[in-house]
Amino acid sequence: MRMYDLIMKKRDGGVLSAEEIRFMIDGYVKGEIPDYQMSAMCMAIWFRGMTDEETGELTMCMAASGDQMDLSGIEGIKVDKHSTGGVGDKTTLVLAPIVAACGGRVAKMSGRGLGHTGGTLDKLESIPGLSVNIMPEDFIRQVNAIGLCVAGQTGNLVPADKKLYALRDVTATVDSVPLIAASIMSKKLASGSDAIVLDVKTGSGAFMKTPEDSILLAQKMVAIGAHAGRRTIALITDMDTPLGHYVGNALEVQEAAATLKGEGPADLTEVCLILAANMLELSGKGSYEDCLAMAKQAVADGSAFQKLHALVRAQGGDDRVLDDPALFGTAAYVEELKAPASGYVQHIDTEGCGIAAAMLGAGREKKEDSIDMLAGLYLAKKEGDPVQEGETLARLYTNEKERMEGAMEKLLSCYRIGAEKPALMPLILAKVTEDGVTRYDV
Ligand code: URA
């Protein structure tokens, strides 16, 4: 078999067999197939797509390319959640404690931020002392003890995705539905949970910009999960505007803590409760309505907030910051962006906000870059809010003065203010299960 022939086959619209996909992934991971041939293949896939069978086979081969987590030492149904990435997306920090407080088991491997999107590991590491480097046996022990653990990848999980993702990132082939589906689901399958709730973001801050594309991606991932014997559902959620008011690591932890105390913004609270209820339902904790009521109760009675405390303590962090955010400290430079005109905030370019936060030091351009944990944004005005000229639209935080001006300019360009009050997208646009799609936005 020759990679050249496989590239030509896909380029001409052919369907790769299971054997051909296995040859390609094995060869690529072993270094026998060079990056330039894999790049050509990714581009051919980008143009020609893949059938469900091809996407499923690609996912399985990728999942099997390295270690696979054995979570059988954890009692009960292990449930995972994956977000396709967004701006201000601190949902894991809120929903994992809610689910654990309701008796669910969350054995979660999270990622770091890259480009305009944030990552849960970076957010957690803004808590003094907290470690996300946890050995597999400690990971299992912690989930058995307190119901949740949020860690970085341990072992050599899905090396095929590490290589492929880096390649796609520099060859303009990230936004391909089969490639994204295989990338995400290979990691979910290898990390061992029994049930998976996918939070597929849609809009200007997401990879998928339209609900239709997001639904298509969700359908592919749900089908792969079901085929692999994992209970999988997907929610399509709004990422046309940042989630909550804060973007940036320590700032987002503070907002997550406030949300668990019942003092969070309405959009973040609602999305987290709905995702948590779906996780609990997949864990067999009752009907969706019962699970939603349980999730709300866990916030109301403080047990979910106590679980966040337990998580932070178990991973070596100083949980006093959750009650006293002043212990995080504040960035040395804080400036306000003022509204240039009166009217309504009609739109916020969400990817642009993520870029502005990264420019302040909250994110990375390259994997090796370090992060300013206190940098970020407070978006005082969100879509649909009325605003007067000169009123504060947002606050910017950084420890490096020279970063302020460019970020301020970038953030200003993200706001569109106009006379008309805009129609807002619903927060949850659709739910995708094996049985079909339920849309809430039509
Ligand atoms: N997140 C992933 O893990 N992979 C992709 O391809 C896109 C988003």
Side-chain angles (χ1 to χ4, degrees):
M1 208 179 284
R2 294 191 319 156
M3 185 64 177
Y4 178 93
D5 299 325
L6 305 191
I7 297 169
M8 192 158 64
K9 186 173 182 184
K10 185 42 80 183
R11 183 199 68 187
D12 295 342
V15 174
L16 301 175
S17 69
E19 198 191 353
E20 288 167 337
I21 292 172
R22 214 170 308 125
F23 167 82
M24 171 174 94
I25 294 301
D26 286 353
Y28 185 53
V29 172
K30 285 186 191 136
E32 291 162 6
I33 291 172
D35 277 349
Y36 53 81
Q37 284 193 309
M38 200 48 149
S39 306
M41 175 59 87
C42 287
M43 192 54 87
I45 293 171
W46 194 94
F47 276 106
R48 292 294 191 173
M50 282 184 133
T51 64
D52 286 352
E53 288 70 31
E54 285 177 297
T55 311
E57 192 57 38
L58 177 64
T59 309
M60 293 305 185
C61 289
M62 287 172 66
S65 67
D67 299 340
Q68 309 213 36
M69 285 291 284
D70 175 7
L71 300 182
S72 57
I74 299 174
E75 300 132 29
I77 295 172
K78 281 75 72 182
V79 63
D80 198 355
K81 187 267 324 180
H82 183 88
S83 156
T84 56
V87 177
D89 181 3
K90 67 279 293 173
T91 51
T92 294
L93 301 178
V94 181
L95 61 80
I98 295 177
V99 172
C102 297
R105 302 270 158 180
V106 187
K108 179 125 190 59
M109 286 191 196
S110 286
R112 298 200 177 271
L114 190 64
H116 77 279
T117 64
T120 302
L121 297 183
D122 298 322
K123 292 170 205 192
L124 278 172
E125 280 180 348
S126 72
I127 299 173
L130 188 140
S131 171
V132 294
N133 301 319
I134 297 175
M135 298 302 288
E137 50 282 15
D138 293 332
F139 184 81
I140 288 171
R141 200 174 307 123
Q142 184 175 318
V143 180
N144 275 330
I146 63 168
L148 78 168
C149 184
V150 183
Q153 261 190 25
T154 56
N156 185 28
L157 246 56
V158 200
D161 185 61
K162 279 195 199 104
K163 278 190 87 171
L164 258 177
Y165 195 86
L167 190 70
R168 288 166 55 214
D169 206 20
V170 292
T171 54
T173 51
V174 168
D175 55 344
S176 147
V177 166
L179 293 179
I180 296 177
S183 164
I184 292 175
M185 290 308 291
S186 60
K187 286 177 287 201
K188 293 294 105 182
L189 299 185
S191 50
S193 283
D194 308 302
I196 304 160
V197 172
L198 299 162
D199 178 8
V200 180
K201 302 285 186 195
T202 194
S204 66
F207 284 116
M208 298 286 122
K209 306 290 182 203
T210 66
E212 285 66 33
D213 284 349
S214 305
I215 289 172
L216 191 67
L217 173 62
Q219 284 175 310
K220 294 255 184 216
M221 295 196 289
V222 168
I224 294 168
H227 185 70
R230 314 288 173 94
R231 305 174 191 182
T232 310
I233 67 118
L235 294 175
I236 313 297
T237 70
D238 178 28
M239 192 34 77
D240 204 40
T241 195
L243 197 53
H245 289 280
Y246 287 93
V247 184
N249 298 289
L251 296 170
E252 290 190 43
V253 171
Q254 292 168 45
E255 189 167 53
T259 304
L260 285 172
K261 286 194 267 188
E263 297 158 8
D267 59 350
L268 178 63
T269 304
E270 187 180 338
V271 166
C272 290
L273 286 171
I274 292 173
L275 286 166
N278 276 283
M279 290 170 78
L280 289 165
E281 187 188 9
L282 283 196
S283 304
K285 298 289 175 195
S287 68
Y288 174 74
E289 288 69 27
D290 289 347
C291 291
L292 185 61
M294 250 195 286
K296 287 181 179 170
Q297 180 61 23
V299 174
D301 66 18
S303 56
F305 187 48
Q306 285 316 313
K307 274 290 172 198
L308 180 62
H309 272 278
L311 173 78
V312 170
R313 279 198 304 272
Q315 297 187 204
D318 180 355
D319 64 327
R320 291 174 307 158
V321 296
L322 302 175
D323 294 309
D324 183 3
L327 294 174
F328 275 112
T330 340
Y333 303 95
V334 183
E335 288 187 18
E336 295 195 336
L337 172 67
K338 303 289 186 189
S342 298
Y344 288 95
V345 176
Q346 288 188 325
H347 188 246
I348 301 177
D349 167 11
T350 303
E351 183 169 347
C353 286
I355 294 171
M359 289 168 79
L360 290 165
R364 308 181 174 80
E365 304 271 311
K366 301 186 289 318
K367 277 205 170 92
E368 321 65 71
D369 291 348
S370 63
I371 281 191
D372 176 352
M373 290 299 183
L374 299 176
L377 308 171
Y378 167 67
L379 304 169
K381 298 288 177 188
K382 304 247 331 245
E383 262 173 29
D385 286 345
V387 62
Q388 294 298 318
E389 185 181 340
E391 211 182 337
T392 301
L393 281 179
R395 225 170 3 235
L396 294 83
Y397 301 80
T398 184
N399 280 309
E400 292 175 65
K401 194 171 180 10
E402 60 282 7
R403 290 178 175 269
M404 189 61 91
E405 195 182 330
M408 181 75 82
E409 221 170 89
K410 178 72 193 170
L411 189 61
L412 177 61
S413 74
C414 295
Y415 271 90
R416 196 174 73 225
I417 296 172
E420 302 280 307
K421 188 172 165 71
L424 298 182
M425 270 227 260
L427 272 173
I428 312 283
L429 289 93
K431 179 169 177 171
V432 178
T433 68
E434 261 187 274
D435 300 328
V437 180
T438 311
R439 287 192 74 148
Y440 308 114
D441 63 331
V442 284

